[in-house]
């Protein structure tokens, strides 16, 4: 009898245990009708849903020879949750779907640029390649070029001092620059100074200026100068074209320039080598310091300012244009540093010639004798603007032949 009683208790207990678990352990020990009805429905809704650990599913999937070429769908069959093929495509420059029109957003759907190798970079994504060229080549070597130019000019001044003997303080008998030429020059020079200073701060300022004034002030200054740079650029572009056209005729090379170059323009001696209105150094500065790098700098700057319709709409275009812009402007600034030096403290009387437009006879003979001889022979008028300087050019001075 005892064995039958114990067996009956065990059977009852086995039947009630699941009910208690579903009912949360009701005090009455009777299953809740609602809970009992909900249990089968809940069990059915979870049917087929299982958690998975990608490290435990097909651990030897990588042994498949075609593993690296699998699509994202194929990879999901052996390693659910492994989206490496998709991200590999994205990293390789794959362009996905985008509802934006290509005319307005040509790179919509493209997260990472395709692989390229710019000069000076390794084969990598275009954005990283541009960063490598900028940080490893353009910034360090461009900055070094500017420092070398400044140091060279300082050493030249220490070694030679001011060149020439004539101070250009005599009677202003020859008009070297007309009012129009001087206006074009000074507008272009002012725009260049604004661009050079702002460009140097934006490109190199974090190395020499940010540690001094701090990050926040430097950020404010860089933002301000960026806007100065953007607005001064078009002014420089227009004035540069005017300057290049205005002075092109007198910067064409001729045979007399070979003698000047042979004697290094008198740099190794005490006497100036005869030249026409502009000597070969000034002509070289015109072509290699303004014309070619200037036009590249202007064209690339207009693209960077988004002023050229239909160009500069993609990151790749902007990266290439930026590299060309920084290269051209570094060369241009290095050469124009020399031009500024020679036009101010390097040559006696040169600054006054551009400031007033007039030079005396002694200065013209010393620095540009062939040009003076053409004036004396009547080939070139001594006064070109029609605005006579006081005192007027005397006939004896104009007709003098040295």
């Amino acid at each position: 009898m005892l064995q039958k009683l114990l067996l009956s208790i065990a059977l009852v207990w086995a039947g009630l245990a699941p009910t208690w678990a579903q009912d949360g352990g009701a005090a009455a020990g009777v299953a809740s009708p609602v809970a009992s009805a909900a249990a089968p429905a809940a069990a059915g809704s979870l049917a087929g849903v299982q958690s998975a650990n990608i490290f435990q599913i097909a651990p030897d999937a990588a042994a498949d020879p075609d593993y690296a070429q699998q699509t994202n769908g194929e990879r999901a069959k052996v390693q659910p949750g492994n989206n490496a093929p998709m991200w590999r495509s994205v990293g390789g420059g794959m362009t996905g779907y985008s509802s934006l029109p290509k005319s307005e957003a040509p790179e919509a759907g493209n997260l990472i640029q395709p692989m390229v190798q710019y000069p000076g970079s390794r084969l990598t994504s275009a954005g990283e390649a541009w960063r490598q060229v900028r940080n490893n080549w353009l910034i360090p070597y461009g900055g070094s070029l500017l420092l070398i130019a400044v140091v060279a000019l300082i050493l030249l001044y220490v070694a030679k001092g001011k060149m020439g003997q004539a101070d250009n303080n005599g009677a202003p008998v020859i008009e070297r620059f007309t009012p129009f030429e001087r206006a074009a020059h000074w507008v272009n020079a002012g725009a260049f100074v604004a661009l050079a200073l702002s460009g140097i701060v934006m490109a190199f300022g974090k190395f020499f200026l940010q540690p001094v004034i701090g990050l926040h002030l430097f950020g404010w200054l860089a933002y301000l100068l960026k806007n100065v740079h953007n607005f001064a650029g078009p002014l420089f572009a227009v004035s540069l074209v005017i300057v290049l056209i205005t002075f092109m005729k007198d910067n064409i090379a001729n045979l007399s320039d070979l003698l000047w170059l042979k004697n290094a323009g008198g740099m190794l001696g005490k006497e100036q080598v005869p030249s026409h209105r502009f000597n070969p150094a000034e002509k070289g500065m015109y072509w290699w310091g303004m014309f070619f790098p200037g036009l590249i700098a202007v064209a690339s700057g207009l693209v960077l300012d988004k002023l050229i319709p239909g160009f500069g709409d993609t990151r790749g275009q902007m990266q290439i244009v930026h590299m060309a812009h920084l290269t051209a402007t570094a060369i241009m600034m290095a050469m124009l540093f020399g031009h500024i030096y020679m036009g101010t403290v390097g040559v006696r009387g040169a600054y006054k010639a551009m400031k007033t437009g007039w030079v005396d006879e002694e200065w013209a003979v010393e620095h540009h004798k062939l040009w003076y001889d053409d004036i004396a022979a009547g080939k070139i008028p001594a006064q070109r603007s029609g605005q006579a300087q006081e005192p007027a050019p005397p006939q004896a001075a104009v007709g003098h032949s040295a």
Side-chain angles (χ1 to χ4, degrees):
M1 292 293 294
L2 180 61
Q3 292 179 350
K4 293 181 179 181
L5 179 61
L6 293 175
L7 180 60
S8 300
I9 294 173
L11 292 174
V12 171
W13 174 262
L16 293 177
T19 304
W20 287 348
Q22 295 173 4
D23 193 41
V30 180
S32 169
V34 177
S36 300
S45 64
L46 296 176
V49 177
Q50 299 178 359
S51 63
N53 188 333
I54 64 173
F55 297 106
Q56 296 177 352
I57 297 177
D60 58 344
D64 186 344
D66 298 328
Y67 180 79
Q69 285 74 39
Q70 288 177 341
T71 65
N72 209 59
E74 294 171 338
R75 182 65 56 83
K77 295 179 180 179
V78 295
Q79 290 182 328
N82 186 343
N83 294 322
M86 181 194 71
W87 290 111
R88 188 176 296 114
S89 299
V90 171
M94 178 193 70
T95 300
Y97 169 77
S98 174
S99 60
L100 296 175
K102 287 291 183 181
S103 59
E104 297 181 8
E107 289 189 292
N110 184 272
L111 297 179
I112 300 177
Q113 294 175 266
M115 305 288 281
V116 299
Q117 186 172 11
Y118 292 138
S121 77
R122 66 176 185 270
L123 180 63
T124 180
S125 63
E128 171 63 16
W130 166 79
R131 190 193 69 84
Q132 292 176 11
V133 174
R134 181 187 184 276
N135 293 350
N136 298 338
W137 293 93
L138 299 181
I139 294 298
Y141 289 100
S144 298
L145 177 63
L146 298 182
L147 288 176
I148 290 172
V150 172
V151 172
L153 294 175
I154 294 175
L155 295 177
L156 177 61
Y157 184 80
V158 172
K160 299 285 293 186
K162 288 189 175 183
M163 299 175 60
Q165 302 300 320
D167 290 324
N168 193 19
N169 290 326
V173 295
I174 300 175
E175 188 177 27
R176 181 160 174 78
F177 300 108
T178 66
F180 175 80
E181 292 171 340
R182 286 184 287 124
H185 171 272
W186 287 117
V187 170
N188 186 249
F192 169 79
V193 170
L195 291 172
L197 292 178
S198 57
I200 289 174
V201 170
M202 289 188 291
F204 311 104
K206 70 176 183 179
F207 302 108
F208 69 91
L209 192 57
Q210 179 179 317
V212 178
I213 65 177
L215 179 63
H216 296 293
L217 183 57
F218 175 75
W220 174 85
L221 180 63
Y223 179 78
L224 174 65
L225 292 178
K226 180 187 76 71
N227 288 281
V228 171
H229 200 87
N230 291 342
F231 282 101
L235 176 62
F236 176 80
V238 174
S239 59
L240 177 66
V241 172
I242 295 174
V243 167
L244 293 178
I245 294 174
T246 300
F247 294 105
M248 179 178 290
K249 178 182 177 181
D250 291 322
N251 279 284
I252 303 298
N254 53 59
L255 294 177
S256 63
D257 294 334
L258 297 177
L259 178 63
W260 193 96
L261 293 171
K262 179 181 177 181
N263 293 277
M267 293 291 293
L268 304 179
K270 296 182 179 180
E271 297 294 331
Q272 297 287 321
V273 181
S275 67
H276 287 280
R277 186 186 181 195
F278 299 120
N279 59 45
E282 293 170 314
K283 293 178 180 180
M285 192 282 302
Y286 172 90
W287 291 106
W288 302 107
M290 293 184 63
F291 190 90
F292 294 113
L295 292 182
I296 294 175
V298 166
S300 57
L302 293 177
V303 173
L304 293 173
D305 272 348
K306 303 291 291 181
L307 297 177
I308 304 298
F311 196 79
D313 295 329
T314 65
R315 289 167 289 179
Q317 292 174 350
M318 295 295 273
Q319 289 159 0
I320 295 173
V321 167
H322 174 268
M323 292 185 288
H325 186 76
L326 187 52
T327 301
T329 52
I331 295 173
M332 190 175 190
M333 284 191 291
M335 295 200 67
L336 284 176
F337 284 173
H339 173 71
I340 294 172
Y341 167 81
M342 298 299 288
T344 52
V345 300
V347 178
R348 285 187 174 88
Y351 176 75
K352 186 177 181 180
M354 180 55 72
K355 179 182 178 181
T356 66
W358 293 80
V359 297
D360 60 24
E361 186 178 9
E362 181 184 6
W363 191 93
V365 171
E366 181 180 19
H367 294 285
H368 301 277
K369 186 175 183 301
L370 298 180
W371 174 60
Y372 173 83
D373 289 343
D374 287 340
I375 293 176
K379 298 179 181 179
I380 302 175
Q383 178 182 323
R384 296 182 296 124
S385 67
Q387 298 179 1
Q389 181 85 347
E390 293 294 340
Q395 293 298 322
V398 177
H400 175 76
S401 178

